[in-house]
Amino acid sequence: MKVFKFGGASLESVERIRQVAQIVQSFPDEKLLIVISAMAKTTNELEKVAENFFQRKREIAAQLLFNIEQHHLNVAEALLGTREHPLFTQLQQFFTEAEWTLGEKPLRTYDYYYDQLVSVGELLSTAIVSAFFNSIGLTNIWLDVRDIFRTDDNFRDANIDWTYTQRQVTEKVLPLFGNTNIVITQGFIGATDQNESVTLGREGSDYSAAVFANMLDAESQTIWKDVEGLKNADPKQFPNTVNIPEISYGEVIEMAYYGAQVIHPKTIKPLQNKQIPLLVKCFLDKNLPGTVIRETADVKQLPPIIVLKKNQVLLNITSKDYSFITEDKISDIYEIFHGLKVKINLMQNGAINFSCCIDNNPEKIELLIKTLHQQFKIVYNEGLELLTVRYYQPSLLEELSNGHTVLLEQRSPATIQRLWKK
């Protein structure tokens, strides 16, 4: 049993979907559970639908949803050569459910409606890929992961009920492989015990695949991307990046923690628990070696690993009465951040102030500052960048920092972080 995950970039065109089929065809005798993301940019477009609906701009939301519908119908027709295929009835059902949501008054939280609408992307992409595979002889079964992954109702970042989900995998997923070698399902989504759709966190398809790999005792999980493998930096941001042939679970968790957009942060633990290797391979050339992620990788051979997070905000939180920021006040600050689901990317404690760097998320920052103001004075700077370098070299660090004003810095023997303004 192998678990494959294909992201949105591998589905961004009809040609690339055919390329995905060619990859799967090259594993004719393997049992494959394939986890698929929404098509490229679809999640972003569905987010706009959710935003406009919640702002009661229903006509704009409906038009955006219509545009998404037409794109998917056109892709499906190009792959199947007709609109008479049963797939189109299935796609219409998904869009009808989304339209029902748009017909409601937004009386619940934004996160709830976000999940009901954005989860449609994965249902559409997997239905199309499944139908296309069957049409070319890649016999498969399409599976609605919402019938398998039971979660809590922490919308937009739901937590999986492992006991219930393992039972569903054992009783409903494993038997499918008695009838087919290929099962296709969705990443990123699940359902509550009230059958309400949820998402597992942005880019959560990697994690979905890892959960399946764990519960199916898979021999490996492969993430197919549009790059050669895992690199030491984002090639879109830095020149002269190098491929990393092998890396440990722990190092990848560090990279994800600091903001590298390579592997979803939750992905590693389910694999590490059962020592399942994670492969990062290039779907543009499946013969490239890619990267192997496993427990025993040699970290001594790693190049400097560079992560740059843009659009950051620096908050300086000061006690109103000039009292020390000690454990009790830090506890209060942490509780506020935790309650509003705001992640701290970098923090530093002084005598009467607490400084921290966070992502610039306008919908959360306004409420965060308002809540903090009840106990503290707040000053903040926007438009910043946070650089993290593991296994840094002084010359490289100075080259990267040239021309920037550093506002905050932390370093250890292995890692340095600098928050700067251009």
Side-chain angles (χ1 to χ4, degrees):
M1 175 79 66
K2 288 183 169 68
V3 173
F4 284 178
K5 180 262 178 176
F6 290 97
S10 61
L11 309 173
E12 72 175 5
S13 66
V14 170
E15 291 71 25
R16 285 200 168 179
I17 294 173
R18 292 195 173 110
Q19 205 161 11
V20 168
Q22 291 173 5
I23 291 172
V24 176
Q25 284 171 329
S26 67
F27 295 86
D29 301 318
E30 301 279 0
K31 293 191 180 298
L32 303 176
L33 183 128
I34 303 177
V35 172
I36 294 178
S37 302
M39 290 184 185
K41 300 180 181 178
T42 298
T43 299
N44 291 339
E45 293 303 309
L46 285 166
E47 286 179 337
K48 294 177 185 176
V49 173
E51 290 165 6
N52 281 279
F53 161 73
F54 201 71
Q55 295 168 6
R56 299 180 185 269
K57 299 176 183 177
R58 292 188 183 177
E59 290 185 7
I60 297 175
Q63 182 61 52
L64 289 169
L65 184 64
F66 176 78
N67 295 342
I68 294 168
E69 178 179 9
Q70 294 308 302
H71 173 69
H72 282 78
L73 294 178
N74 290 339
V75 169
E77 183 177 14
L79 289 167
L80 296 171
T82 177
R83 291 203 178 191
E84 301 303 316
H85 193 282
L87 166 68
F88 289 86
T89 300
Q90 185 182 19
L91 297 180
Q92 192 56 58
Q93 289 172 348
F94 295 143
F95 283 110
T96 298
E97 290 175 15
E99 289 163 3
W100 286 344
T101 299
L102 295 185
E104 298 179 17
K105 290 183 179 180
L107 301 177
R108 298 181 63 170
T109 65
Y110 171 75
D111 288 353
Y112 167 79
Y113 291 109
Y114 176 100
D115 280 5
Q116 307 320 300
L117 291 165
V118 170
S119 60
V120 172
E122 275 67 20
L123 298 170
L124 297 169
S125 62
T126 52
I128 290 171
V129 171
S130 174
F132 172 60
F133 277 17
N134 278 321
S135 74
I136 60 172
L138 279 173
T139 305
N140 72 89
I141 294 174
W142 180 86
L143 178 70
D144 190 335
V145 76
R146 296 174 300 176
D147 295 330
I148 307 301
F149 279 15
R150 166 71 60 80
T151 73
D152 60 14
D153 60 358
N154 186 30
F155 296 104
R156 291 187 72 178
D157 193 18
N159 300 293
I160 290 175
D161 179 338
W162 279 77
T163 301
Y164 180 92
T165 302
Q166 176 68 76
R167 187 163 63 248
Q168 293 294 92
V169 168
T170 302
E171 295 177 359
K172 294 186 176 181
V173 180
L174 272 173
L176 297 177
F177 287 98
N179 302 314
T180 182
N181 277 353
I182 303 172
V183 173
I184 292 177
T185 192
Q186 306 79 37
F188 181 52
I189 67 176
T192 69
D193 58 5
Q194 300 298 311
N195 290 323
E196 295 169 322
S197 296
V198 298
T199 62
L200 306 178
R202 199 68 156 82
E203 309 295 340
S205 293
D206 292 350
Y207 177 52
S208 299
V211 173
F212 272 118
N214 176 290
M215 294 185 176
L216 291 167
D217 291 314
E219 66 176 83
S220 64
Q221 174 183 335
T222 303
I223 297 175
W224 295 91
K225 300 176 73 71
D226 58 352
V227 292
E228 296 174 26
L230 209 60
K231 293 185 174 290
N232 71 315
D234 184 346
K236 297 175 184 177
Q237 294 178 326
F238 299 96
N240 305 318
T241 58
V242 296
N243 202 58
I244 300 173
E246 186 178 53
I247 193 169
S248 68
Y249 293 130
E251 281 299 323
V252 171
I253 289 174
E254 291 282 348
M255 292 173 69
Y257 174 79
Y258 290 120
Q261 300 295 310
V262 286
I263 307 293
H264 189 276
K266 293 180 181 178
T267 303
I268 299 302
K269 187 58 177 171
L271 302 176
Q272 189 270 338
N273 285 350
K274 292 191 173 179
Q275 296 297 301
I276 298 169
L278 175 60
L279 313 178
V280 180
K281 298 273 287 181
C282 180
F283 66 77
L284 300 174
D285 185 351
K286 67 181 179 62
N287 296 316
L288 291 173
T291 300
V292 180
I293 303 168
R294 57 187 168 205
E295 188 77 66
T296 56
D298 183 5
V299 299
K300 293 179 182 179
Q301 303 302 316
L302 289 177
I305 296 173
I306 307 166
V307 179
L308 183 67
K309 285 177 70 72
K310 297 186 177 183
N311 199 21
Q312 299 293 290
V313 173
L314 174 62
L315 290 180
N316 286 300
I317 303 167
T318 306
S319 57
K320 290 182 177 181
D321 59 359
Y322 291 95
S323 59
F324 289 154
I325 300 289
T326 51
E327 289 80 359
D328 57 339
K329 284 189 169 57
I330 292 175
S331 177
D332 292 341
I333 293 169
Y334 272 23
E335 188 172 340
I336 291 170
F337 276 81
H338 177 71
L340 297 176
K341 300 179 184 177
V342 178
K343 179 182 178 290
I344 298 175
N345 298 324
L346 176 67
M347 58 186 168
Q348 206 165 86
N349 191 190
I352 62 171
N353 67 9
F354 179 89
S355 299
C356 63
C357 166
I358 61 175
D359 296 339
N360 189 359
N361 188 333
E363 69 185 59
K364 292 187 176 181
I365 285 181
E366 183 178 352
L367 182 56
L368 175 65
I369 291 175
K370 182 179 178 181
T371 306
L372 287 168
H373 257 309
Q374 296 172 17
Q375 300 181 59
F376 306 97
K377 291 186 290 187
I378 311 296
V379 176
Y380 70 99
N381 292 328
E382 297 178 304
L384 309 180
E385 296 179 346
L386 177 62
L387 175 78
T388 303
V389 185
R390 282 180 66 74
Y391 311 114
Y392 57 90
Q393 301 160 353
S395 58
L396 172 65
L397 192 59
E398 293 314 307
E399 178 185 339
L400 295 172
S401 302
N402 186 35
H404 300 87
T405 302
V406 177
L407 303 179
L408 203 64
E409 177 180 296
Q410 282 188 2
R411 71 171 72 199
S412 70
T415 305
I416 187 167
Q417 291 187 281
R418 283 182 173 174
L419 181 68
W420 62 43
K421 191 175 185 67
K422 284 188 174 182

